[in-house]
Amino acid sequence: VVIGAEIEKIGAKAFYNCPNLKFVTIKSTGLTAKSVGAKAFAKIHKKAVVEVPKAKKTAYKKWLKKRGIGGKQKIMGK
């Protein structure tokens, strides 16, 4: 899944329970903890990789974990 640069909001449970979702690319730099809904990325593939803008990696990593990314899943800056 590629989340475009113009996206400002991701709803609650947007990708919830998508066990085949292995790779997510977030191109948007405008997302915040408040603009991404609860459990938006919960229960995706156990070894999923999430690519985020390099400049926002620290901030995104902090709140993506609260939105369901964790365990063996990786958050990478690109």
Side-chain angles (χ1 to χ4, degrees), residues 46-63:
K46 291 179 183 180
K47 294 184 180 178
V49 175
V50 180
E51 271 191 0
V52 299
K54 195 171 189 176
K56 294 282 191 170
K57 182 181 176 187
T58 304
Y60 278 29
K61 191 173 189 175
K62 186 175 181 177
W63 55 259

